[in-house]
mmCIF file of all heavy atoms in Angstrom:
data_model
loop_
_atom_site.group_PDB
_atom_site.id
_atom_site.type_symbol
_atom_site.label_atom_id
_atom_site.label_comp_id
_atom_site.label_asym_id
_atom_site.label_seq_id
_atom_site.Cartn_x
_atom_site.Cartn_y
_atom_site.Cartn_z
ATOM 1 N N GLY N 94 9.716 -7.927 -10.138
ATOM 2 C CA GLY N 94 10.244 -9.108 -9.462
ATOM 3 C C GLY N 94 9.736 -9.200 -8.036
ATOM 4 O O GLY N 94 8.581 -8.881 -7.770
ATOM 5 N N GLY N 95 10.612 -9.633 -7.138
ATOM 6 C CA GLY N 95 10.224 -9.867 -5.748
ATOM 7 C C GLY N 95 9.724 -8.632 -5.029
ATOM 8 O O GLY N 95 8.851 -8.721 -4.163
ATOM 9 N N VAL N 96 10.258 -7.463 -5.361
ATOM 10 C CA VAL N 96 9.807 -6.215 -4.737
ATOM 11 C C VAL N 96 8.722 -5.547 -5.594
ATOM 12 O O VAL N 96 7.658 -5.184 -5.098
ATOM 13 C CB VAL N 96 10.991 -5.245 -4.511
ATOM 14 C CG1 VAL N 96 10.495 -3.888 -4.015
ATOM 15 C CG2 VAL N 96 11.971 -5.833 -3.502
ATOM 16 N N GLY N 97 8.981 -5.429 -6.897
ATOM 17 C CA GLY N 97 8.071 -4.701 -7.780
ATOM 18 C C GLY N 97 6.685 -5.315 -7.872
ATOM 19 O O GLY N 97 5.682 -4.591 -7.911
ATOM 20 N N SER N 98 6.604 -6.631 -7.902
ATOM 21 C CA SER N 98 5.292 -7.275 -8.018
ATOM 22 C C SER N 98 4.460 -7.022 -6.767
ATOM 23 O O SER N 98 3.257 -6.760 -6.857
ATOM 24 C CB SER N 98 5.458 -8.782 -8.254
ATOM 25 O OG SER N 98 6.103 -9.397 -7.155
ATOM 26 N N VAL N 99 5.076 -7.085 -5.604
ATOM 27 C CA VAL N 99 4.357 -6.852 -4.349
ATOM 28 C C VAL N 99 3.965 -5.380 -4.237
ATOM 29 O O VAL N 99 2.866 -5.052 -3.798
ATOM 30 C CB VAL N 99 5.207 -7.300 -3.137
ATOM 31 C CG1 VAL N 99 4.462 -7.060 -1.832
ATOM 32 C CG2 VAL N 99 5.578 -8.771 -3.265
ATOM 33 N N ALA N 100 4.870 -4.489 -4.676
ATOM 34 C CA ALA N 100 4.553 -3.054 -4.695
ATOM 35 C C ALA N 100 3.341 -2.806 -5.592
ATOM 36 O O ALA N 100 2.432 -2.051 -5.236
ATOM 37 C CB ALA N 100 5.762 -2.256 -5.171
ATOM 38 N N ALA N 101 3.319 -3.462 -6.754
ATOM 39 C CA ALA N 101 2.196 -3.314 -7.684
ATOM 40 C C ALA N 101 0.899 -3.813 -7.055
ATOM 41 O O ALA N 101 -0.152 -3.185 -7.180
ATOM 42 C CB ALA N 101 2.487 -4.076 -8.981
ATOM 43 N N GLU N 102 0.983 -4.946 -6.352
ATOM 44 C CA GLU N 102 -0.227 -5.484 -5.710
ATOM 45 C C GLU N 102 -0.729 -4.535 -4.624
ATOM 46 O O GLU N 102 -1.939 -4.290 -4.502
ATOM 47 C CB GLU N 102 0.027 -6.883 -5.127
ATOM 48 C CG GLU N 102 -1.233 -7.444 -4.471
ATOM 49 C CD GLU N 102 -1.139 -8.895 -4.047
ATOM 50 O OE1 GLU N 102 -0.172 -9.581 -4.425
ATOM 51 O OE2 GLU N 102 -2.051 -9.346 -3.319
ATOM 52 N N MET N 103 0.182 -3.977 -3.833
ATOM 53 C CA MET N 103 -0.228 -3.054 -2.768
ATOM 54 C C MET N 103 -0.931 -1.823 -3.346
ATOM 55 O O MET N 103 -1.987 -1.422 -2.871
ATOM 56 C CB MET N 103 0.990 -2.638 -1.939
ATOM 57 C CG MET N 103 1.488 -3.735 -1.007
ATOM 58 S SD MET N 103 3.050 -3.301 -0.202
ATOM 59 C CE MET N 103 3.196 -4.656 0.990
ATOM 60 N N LEU N 104 -0.331 -1.232 -4.380
ATOM 61 C CA LEU N 104 -0.936 -0.040 -4.989
ATOM 62 C C LEU N 104 -2.278 -0.375 -5.639
ATOM 63 O O LEU N 104 -3.224 0.421 -5.594
ATOM 64 C CB LEU N 104 0.023 0.570 -6.020
ATOM 65 C CG LEU N 104 1.195 1.349 -5.411
ATOM 66 C CD1 LEU N 104 2.227 1.705 -6.474
ATOM 67 C CD2 LEU N 104 0.705 2.623 -4.716
ATOM 68 N N THR N 105 -2.374 -1.565 -6.238
ATOM 69 C CA THR N 105 -3.627 -2.005 -6.848
ATOM 70 C C THR N 105 -4.716 -2.139 -5.796
ATOM 71 O O THR N 105 -5.841 -1.674 -5.982
ATOM 72 C CB THR N 105 -3.414 -3.349 -7.569
ATOM 73 O OG1 THR N 105 -2.485 -3.146 -8.628
ATOM 74 C CG2 THR N 105 -4.719 -3.894 -8.118
ATOM 75 N N ARG N 106 -4.380 -2.765 -4.672
ATOM 76 C CA ARG N 106 -5.372 -2.944 -3.607
ATOM 77 C C ARG N 106 -5.730 -1.609 -2.959
ATOM 78 O O ARG N 106 -6.819 -1.460 -2.391
ATOM 79 C CB ARG N 106 -4.855 -3.951 -2.580
ATOM 80 C CG ARG N 106 -4.799 -5.380 -3.149
ATOM 81 C CD ARG N 106 -4.365 -6.382 -2.109
ATOM 82 N NE ARG N 106 -4.229 -7.732 -2.631
ATOM 83 C CZ ARG N 106 -5.196 -8.666 -2.564
ATOM 84 N NH1 ARG N 106 -6.347 -8.369 -2.031
ATOM 85 N NH2 ARG N 106 -4.978 -9.878 -3.039
ATOM 86 N N CYS N 107 -4.821 -0.633 -3.022
ATOM 87 C CA CYS N 107 -5.107 0.704 -2.488
ATOM 88 C C CYS N 107 -5.980 1.504 -3.449
ATOM 89 O O CYS N 107 -6.457 2.581 -3.096
ATOM 90 C CB CYS N 107 -3.812 1.463 -2.217
ATOM 91 S SG CYS N 107 -3.005 0.945 -0.694
ATOM 92 N N GLY N 108 -6.171 1.007 -4.677
ATOM 93 C CA GLY N 108 -7.022 1.695 -5.631
ATOM 94 C C GLY N 108 -6.334 2.816 -6.390
ATOM 95 O O GLY N 108 -6.978 3.811 -6.743
ATOM 96 N N ILE N 109 -5.056 2.652 -6.681
ATOM 97 C CA ILE N 109 -4.328 3.662 -7.457
ATOM 98 C C ILE N 109 -5.000 3.824 -8.824
ATOM 99 O O ILE N 109 -5.580 2.876 -9.348
ATOM 100 C CB ILE N 109 -2.840 3.239 -7.611
ATOM 101 C CG1 ILE N 109 -1.969 4.397 -8.088
ATOM 102 C CG2 ILE N 109 -2.680 2.072 -8.600
ATOM 103 C CD1 ILE N 109 -1.471 5.280 -7.000
ATOM 104 N N GLY N 110 -4.918 5.047 -9.405
ATOM 105 C CA GLY N 110 -5.596 5.294 -10.677
ATOM 106 C C GLY N 110 -5.039 4.486 -11.829
ATOM 107 O O GLY N 110 -5.753 3.748 -12.503
ATOM 108 N N ARG N 111 -3.706 4.630 -12.062
ATOM 109 C CA ARG N 111 -3.100 4.002 -13.232
ATOM 110 C C ARG N 111 -1.745 3.445 -12.845
ATOM 111 O O ARG N 111 -1.002 4.075 -12.083
ATOM 112 C CB ARG N 111 -2.923 5.063 -14.328
ATOM 113 C CG ARG N 111 -2.646 4.535 -15.707
ATOM 114 C CD ARG N 111 -2.866 5.616 -16.769
ATOM 115 N NE ARG N 111 -1.903 6.699 -16.658
ATOM 116 C CZ ARG N 111 -0.901 6.902 -17.537
ATOM 117 N NH1 ARG N 111 -0.753 6.111 -18.576
ATOM 118 N NH2 ARG N 111 -0.082 7.907 -17.380
ATOM 119 N N LEU N 112 -1.455 2.242 -13.334
ATOM 120 C CA LEU N 112 -0.221 1.558 -12.984
ATOM 121 C C LEU N 112 0.459 1.113 -14.274
ATOM 122 O O LEU N 112 -0.130 0.402 -15.090
ATOM 123 C CB LEU N 112 -0.561 0.337 -12.109
ATOM 124 C CG LEU N 112 0.406 -0.142 -11.048
ATOM 125 C CD1 LEU N 112 0.922 0.981 -10.173
ATOM 126 C CD2 LEU N 112 -0.277 -1.190 -10.182
ATOM 127 N N LEU N 113 1.728 1.540 -14.469
ATOM 128 C CA LEU N 113 2.495 1.147 -15.649
ATOM 129 C C LEU N 113 3.563 0.150 -15.189
ATOM 130 O O LEU N 113 4.328 0.454 -14.271
ATOM 131 C CB LEU N 113 3.158 2.367 -16.296
ATOM 132 C CG LEU N 113 2.239 3.409 -16.951
ATOM 133 C CD1 LEU N 113 1.588 4.310 -15.919
ATOM 134 C CD2 LEU N 113 3.028 4.243 -17.963
ATOM 135 N N LEU N 114 3.603 -1.027 -15.815
ATOM 136 C CA LEU N 114 4.513 -2.088 -15.377
ATOM 137 C C LEU N 114 5.552 -2.396 -16.455
ATOM 138 O O LEU N 114 5.199 -2.620 -17.613
ATOM 139 C CB LEU N 114 3.707 -3.355 -15.070
ATOM 140 C CG LEU N 114 2.516 -3.190 -14.107
ATOM 141 C CD1 LEU N 114 1.731 -4.494 -14.014
ATOM 142 C CD2 LEU N 114 2.984 -2.752 -12.729
ATOM 143 N N TYR N 115 6.830 -2.420 -16.066
ATOM 144 C CA TYR N 115 7.924 -2.676 -17.010
ATOM 145 C C TYR N 115 8.768 -3.862 -16.541
ATOM 146 O O TYR N 115 9.264 -3.871 -15.408
ATOM 147 C CB TYR N 115 8.842 -1.452 -17.113
ATOM 148 C CG TYR N 115 8.136 -0.172 -17.477
ATOM 149 C CD1 TYR N 115 7.497 0.589 -16.508
ATOM 150 C CD2 TYR N 115 8.098 0.268 -18.793
ATOM 151 C CE1 TYR N 115 6.836 1.761 -16.839
ATOM 152 C CE2 TYR N 115 7.439 1.437 -19.134
ATOM 153 C CZ TYR N 115 6.813 2.185 -18.155
ATOM 154 O OH TYR N 115 6.166 3.342 -18.479
ATOM 155 N N ASP N 116 8.968 -4.853 -17.406
ATOM 156 C CA ASP N 116 9.883 -5.956 -17.134
ATOM 157 C C ASP N 116 10.086 -6.713 -18.447
ATOM 158 O O ASP N 116 9.220 -6.677 -19.322
ATOM 159 C CB ASP N 116 9.327 -6.906 -16.062
ATOM 160 C CG ASP N 116 10.425 -7.665 -15.346
ATOM 161 O OD1 ASP N 116 11.153 -8.438 -16.000
ATOM 162 O OD2 ASP N 116 10.571 -7.481 -14.126
ATOM 163 N N TYR N 117 11.226 -7.362 -18.611
ATOM 164 C CA TYR N 117 11.470 -8.128 -19.835
ATOM 165 C C TYR N 117 11.507 -9.626 -19.560
ATOM 166 O O TYR N 117 11.590 -10.445 -20.478
ATOM 167 C CB TYR N 117 12.800 -7.711 -20.484
ATOM 168 C CG TYR N 117 14.005 -8.086 -19.654
ATOM 169 C CD1 TYR N 117 14.683 -9.289 -19.880
ATOM 170 C CD2 TYR N 117 14.454 -7.277 -18.630
ATOM 171 C CE1 TYR N 117 15.765 -9.645 -19.110
ATOM 172 C CE2 TYR N 117 15.532 -7.626 -17.855
ATOM 173 C CZ TYR N 117 16.190 -8.812 -18.097
ATOM 174 O OH TYR N 117 17.246 -9.166 -17.307
ATOM 175 N N ASP N 118 11.403 -10.003 -18.279
ATOM 176 C CA ASP N 118 11.643 -11.374 -17.861
ATOM 177 C C ASP N 118 10.355 -12.197 -17.872
ATOM 178 O O ASP N 118 9.255 -11.659 -17.972
ATOM 179 C CB ASP N 118 12.220 -11.339 -16.440
ATOM 180 C CG ASP N 118 13.225 -12.455 -16.209
ATOM 181 O OD1 ASP N 118 13.453 -13.256 -17.137
ATOM 182 O OD2 ASP N 118 13.769 -12.523 -15.098
ATOM 183 N N THR N 119 10.523 -13.540 -17.775
ATOM 184 C CA THR N 119 9.370 -14.424 -17.652
ATOM 185 C C THR N 119 9.352 -15.062 -16.265
ATOM 186 O O THR N 119 10.376 -15.111 -15.577
ATOM 187 C CB THR N 119 9.399 -15.543 -18.705
ATOM 188 O OG1 THR N 119 10.674 -16.191 -18.638
ATOM 189 C CG2 THR N 119 9.190 -15.000 -20.101
ATOM 190 N N VAL N 120 8.186 -15.534 -15.845
ATOM 191 C CA VAL N 120 8.030 -16.174 -14.536
ATOM 192 C C VAL N 120 8.665 -17.559 -14.568
ATOM 193 O O VAL N 120 8.471 -18.313 -15.528
ATOM 194 C CB VAL N 120 6.529 -16.274 -14.165
ATOM 195 C CG1 VAL N 120 6.354 -16.947 -12.819
ATOM 196 C CG2 VAL N 120 5.862 -14.904 -14.183
ATOM 197 N N GLU N 121 9.450 -17.887 -13.538
ATOM 198 C CA GLU N 121 10.080 -19.204 -13.422
ATOM 199 C C GLU N 121 9.749 -19.805 -12.043
ATOM 200 O O GLU N 121 9.431 -19.061 -11.114
ATOM 201 C CB GLU N 121 11.615 -19.081 -13.538
ATOM 202 C CG GLU N 121 12.115 -18.397 -14.789
ATOM 203 C CD GLU N 121 11.859 -19.205 -16.063
ATOM 204 O OE1 GLU N 121 11.447 -20.377 -15.954
ATOM 205 O OE2 GLU N 121 12.053 -18.648 -17.157
ATOM 206 N N LEU N 122 9.878 -21.122 -11.925
ATOM 207 C CA LEU N 122 9.665 -21.748 -10.609
ATOM 208 C C LEU N 122 10.648 -21.192 -9.587
ATOM 209 O O LEU N 122 10.352 -21.114 -8.395
ATOM 210 C CB LEU N 122 9.818 -23.275 -10.708
ATOM 211 C CG LEU N 122 8.549 -24.066 -11.057
ATOM 212 C CD1 LEU N 122 8.838 -25.569 -10.997
ATOM 213 C CD2 LEU N 122 7.392 -23.724 -10.127
ATOM 214 N N ALA N 123 11.845 -20.795 -10.062
ATOM 215 C CA ALA N 123 12.861 -20.240 -9.158
ATOM 216 C C ALA N 123 12.415 -18.922 -8.523
ATOM 217 O O ALA N 123 13.049 -18.445 -7.588
ATOM 218 C CB ALA N 123 14.184 -20.038 -9.909
ATOM 219 N N ASN N 124 11.315 -18.318 -9.019
ATOM 220 C CA ASN N 124 10.783 -17.080 -8.419
ATOM 221 C C ASN N 124 9.787 -17.357 -7.291
ATOM 222 O O ASN N 124 9.298 -16.425 -6.655
ATOM 223 C CB ASN N 124 10.057 -16.228 -9.476
ATOM 224 C CG ASN N 124 10.901 -15.920 -10.691
ATOM 225 O OD1 ASN N 124 10.448 -16.017 -11.813
ATOM 226 N ND2 ASN N 124 12.162 -15.546 -10.470
ATOM 227 N N MET N 125 9.468 -18.638 -7.065
ATOM 228 C CA MET N 125 8.365 -18.972 -6.152
ATOM 229 C C MET N 125 8.698 -18.760 -4.680
ATOM 230 O O MET N 125 7.835 -18.902 -3.824
ATOM 231 C CB MET N 125 7.888 -20.416 -6.377
ATOM 232 C CG MET N 125 7.231 -20.629 -7.721
ATOM 233 S SD MET N 125 5.859 -19.477 -7.985
ATOM 234 C CE MET N 125 6.188 -18.937 -9.659
ATOM 235 N N ASN N 126 9.960 -18.433 -4.376
ATOM 236 C CA ASN N 126 10.311 -18.147 -2.972
ATOM 237 C C ASN N 126 10.022 -16.690 -2.613
ATOM 238 O O ASN N 126 10.351 -16.249 -1.533
ATOM 239 C CB ASN N 126 11.775 -18.480 -2.697
ATOM 240 C CG ASN N 126 12.712 -17.539 -3.417
ATOM 241 O OD1 ASN N 126 12.467 -17.198 -4.564
ATOM 242 N ND2 ASN N 126 13.769 -17.110 -2.755
ATOM 243 N N ARG N 127 9.437 -15.960 -3.542
ATOM 244 C CA ARG N 127 9.007 -14.599 -3.247
ATOM 245 C C ARG N 127 7.500 -14.515 -3.458
ATOM 246 O O ARG N 127 6.925 -15.360 -4.120
ATOM 247 C CB ARG N 127 9.725 -13.620 -4.188
ATOM 248 C CG ARG N 127 11.149 -13.336 -3.747
ATOM 249 C CD ARG N 127 12.057 -13.079 -4.918
ATOM 250 N NE ARG N 127 12.495 -14.315 -5.541
ATOM 251 C CZ ARG N 127 13.271 -14.361 -6.633
ATOM 252 N NH1 ARG N 127 13.676 -13.253 -7.199
ATOM 253 N NH2 ARG N 127 13.641 -15.530 -7.132
ATOM 254 N N LEU N 128 6.874 -13.473 -2.887
ATOM 255 C CA LEU N 128 5.418 -13.352 -2.985
ATOM 256 C C LEU N 128 4.968 -13.110 -4.428
ATOM 257 O O LEU N 128 5.766 -12.849 -5.313
ATOM 258 C CB LEU N 128 4.917 -12.207 -2.099
ATOM 259 C CG LEU N 128 5.163 -12.308 -0.594
ATOM 260 C CD1 LEU N 128 4.618 -11.075 0.116
ATOM 261 C CD2 LEU N 128 4.508 -13.555 -0.009
ATOM 262 N N PHE N 129 3.685 -13.196 -4.656
ATOM 263 C CA PHE N 129 2.944 -12.764 -5.847
ATOM 264 C C PHE N 129 2.764 -13.785 -6.964
ATOM 265 O O PHE N 129 1.641 -14.185 -7.232
ATOM 266 C CB PHE N 129 3.524 -11.473 -6.426
ATOM 267 C CG PHE N 129 2.606 -10.838 -7.449
ATOM 268 C CD1 PHE N 129 1.483 -10.156 -7.031
ATOM 269 C CD2 PHE N 129 2.833 -10.954 -8.810
ATOM 270 C CE1 PHE N 129 0.612 -9.570 -7.945
ATOM 271 C CE2 PHE N 129 1.968 -10.378 -9.734
ATOM 272 C CZ PHE N 129 0.862 -9.679 -9.293
ATOM 273 N N PHE N 130 3.832 -14.203 -7.650
ATOM 274 C CA PHE N 130 3.617 -15.086 -8.810
ATOM 275 C C PHE N 130 3.257 -16.500 -8.366
ATOM 276 O O PHE N 130 3.658 -16.961 -7.306
ATOM 277 C CB PHE N 130 4.848 -15.099 -9.711
ATOM 278 C CG PHE N 130 5.080 -13.785 -10.405
ATOM 279 C CD1 PHE N 130 6.226 -13.038 -10.142
ATOM 280 C CD2 PHE N 130 4.148 -13.279 -11.294
ATOM 281 C CE1 PHE N 130 6.435 -11.814 -10.779
ATOM 282 C CE2 PHE N 130 4.342 -12.055 -11.936
ATOM 283 C CZ PHE N 130 5.494 -11.326 -11.672
#
Side-chain angles (χ1 to χ4, degrees):
Chain N
V96 173
S98 63
V99 180
E102 180 172 349
M103 286 172 171
L104 284 170
T105 297
R106 291 183 183 265
C107 282
I109 195 85
R111 195 164 66 108
L112 211 48
L113 292 78
L114 308 174
Y115 305 83
D116 205 298
Y117 67 94
D118 214 359
T119 52
V120 179
E121 305 292 351
L122 271 185
N124 306 135
M125 293 305 134
N126 68 319
R127 281 148 279 178
L128 298 179
F129 193 76
F130 292 116

